[in-house]
Amino acid sequence: MSDMQKRRNRQTRPVHMADNPLVRPVDRAEARLHRTTLTVFLLIVPFAVVLGVFGYGQLARSADAAAVSLHTVEATTTADAPSATTTGADVTSGASSSLATPATWTLDGREHEGTVAMPPRTPAGATVSITVDAAGNRVAPPPSNADNVVAGAFLTVLVLAVAGVVLLTIRGAATRRYADLRDREWDEALARLFAEGR
């Protein structure tokens, strides 16, 4: 291989930071920190996914267990639903356009009374499906599979967000520390330069 080819190869070969004499130890240390934080985050990603899947499985099993003791029955309103001008205290939580309306339902031959959420001015005698426990008391329905999927995905995103914030905080603090070290090295180098020039 000729000298010209050797020089051309050296010019086109990428210079690694470790081989660059102009790169200071503090620069190498900062580069290692950046690579480490990125590697740690990438390792956390599969852990967060597994945690989200595990959380989904736990919620799904809990919902299935709760559904065993719950029943879906038809409730019949016993009065007209209030008008839309009803005060906020009568508005059913989670449904701003539905109002609490007196209703009755039957479970195992026993009649129960309570309130159900109905649109304003719904006439008496309207029916709606509700969830009740073994005693016939109205309860919230168990989470659906879609709810469990969303909760598992949220858990995954939450873990990644927390890990990202922690790693970025560490990286930011270290970057400021490295900047201080660079300034100190510059000051020391300038002091040596002026001392040698005297």
Side-chain angles (χ1 to χ4, degrees), residues 5-179:
Q5 290 175 331
K6 291 180 180 178
R7 284 197 297 271
R8 186 180 296 111
N9 291 338
R10 285 196 297 268
Q11 292 172 356
T12 58
R13 185 182 61 184
V15 178
H16 193 271
M17 179 174 289
D19 301 329
N20 191 343
L22 299 178
V23 177
R24 296 164 294 183
V26 64
D27 298 324
R28 296 189 181 94
E30 185 176 14
R32 284 195 299 269
L33 173 67
H34 292 174
R35 290 194 299 269
T36 300
T37 54
L38 178 60
T39 301
V40 170
F41 183 80
L42 293 178
L43 291 175
I44 291 175
V45 171
F47 169 78
V49 172
V50 170
L51 190 61
V53 173
F54 176 78
Y56 161 77
Q58 290 290 99
L59 292 173
R61 285 188 290 271
S62 297
D64 292 340
V68 173
S69 59
L70 300 180
H71 306 273
T72 300
V73 297
E74 292 293 323
T76 304
T77 58
T78 57
D80 294 345
S83 64
T85 58
T86 302
T87 61
D90 295 328
V91 178
T92 302
S93 175
S96 59
S97 62
S98 299
L99 305 175
T101 306
T104 60
W105 57 88
T106 302
L107 179 67
D108 297 334
R110 296 181 57 186
E111 187 176 271
H112 301 269
E113 297 181 354
T115 59
V116 295
M118 299 296 291
R121 299 180 181 177
T122 299
T127 59
V128 61
S129 297
I130 61 173
T131 303
V132 297
D133 58 18
N137 301 315
R138 188 183 177 193
V139 297
S144 65
N145 187 65
D147 295 332
N148 296 331
V149 170
V150 171
F154 176 78
L155 180 59
T156 298
V157 173
L158 180 62
V159 171
L160 292 177
V162 171
V165 169
V166 172
L167 292 175
L168 286 177
T169 301
I170 295 174
R171 177 173 174 174
T175 298
R176 290 190 294 271
R177 173 61 176 168
Y178 290 134

